Amino acid sequence: MDLDDEEEENESSDNSDSELLVPPHHRKIPKPQGEPGRPHSGGYTLSKMLKGWGHDFKIISGFIKDEADKMLDTTICYKNQPQALIDTICDLASARFPILDKYENHWPVRDILKTHIKYRCTKRGGKNKRI
């Protein structure tokens, strides 16, 4: 192996997945595949995915739903909500409940928001019912 080959090998190892360099206890929990509330269609049940939260699930989801009712227009679907407001709710929730920082892009907060807005929008006969 000459010097050029050795340099090339070192460069390729430097370009490996940076996630491998992050200690396992610092990695964030990825979002499951599929959509929340659709366990029979390739999705998952949010409460089952977060079963380790125990009673805290109700407390955290209640907080998120209350913030959604205060800050968002629940007559329109999730995808039409202002992203800045959704990010604000994620930030408020993670500040109040630090466990949420363990999840990539605060996906439990976003999923709770999606299901809550879908419920509210459908219940009220809102616009753009699809999420």
Side-chain angles (χ1 to χ4, degrees):
M1 178 186 283
D2 66 11
L3 193 55
D4 289 336
D5 290 338
E6 191 174 316
E7 284 179 22
E8 192 173 302
E9 187 174 313
N10 286 338
E11 284 177 21
S12 65
S13 65
D14 289 344
N15 293 333
S16 65
D17 189 6
S18 63
E19 191 173 297
L20 295 176
L21 301 175
V22 178
H25 60 281
H26 284 88
R27 291 188 191 137
K28 300 223 179 202
I29 300 167
K31 183 182 182 307
Q33 290 186 338
E35 290 297 316
R38 298 182 156 267
H40 301 294
S41 300
Y44 55 93
T45 303
L46 192 56
S47 60
K48 286 183 182 178
M49 293 303 300
L50 304 172
K51 64 183 171 192
W53 288 10
H55 182 68
D56 290 342
F57 178 77
K58 288 184 178 183
I59 295 168
I60 294 169
S61 63
F63 174 82
I64 293 166
K65 290 172 185 180
D66 287 345
E67 292 302 314
D69 290 341
K70 287 187 236 173
M71 299 177 73
L72 302 175
D73 179 354
T74 57
T75 65
I76 60 173
C77 69
Y78 178 84
K79 71 177 185 171
N80 291 333
Q81 297 291 335
Q83 188 60 49
L85 292 178
I86 290 172
D87 292 342
T88 298
I89 293 171
C90 289
D91 292 342
L92 289 170
S94 67
R96 178 119 182 226
F97 305 102
I99 191 171
L100 295 169
D101 286 328
K102 292 183 176 184
Y103 298 87
E104 285 181 359
N105 200 25
H106 301 109
W107 66 260
V109 178
R110 294 174 192 282
D111 284 357
I112 291 168
L113 287 172
K114 281 180 189 178
T115 55
H116 179 65
I117 291 170
K118 182 177 183 178
Y119 170 77
R120 290 279 197 216
C121 189
T122 303
K123 186 177 176 183
R124 293 180 184 163
K127 308 165 218 148
N128 303 322
K129 291 181 187 173
R130 290 189 64 196
I131 290 183

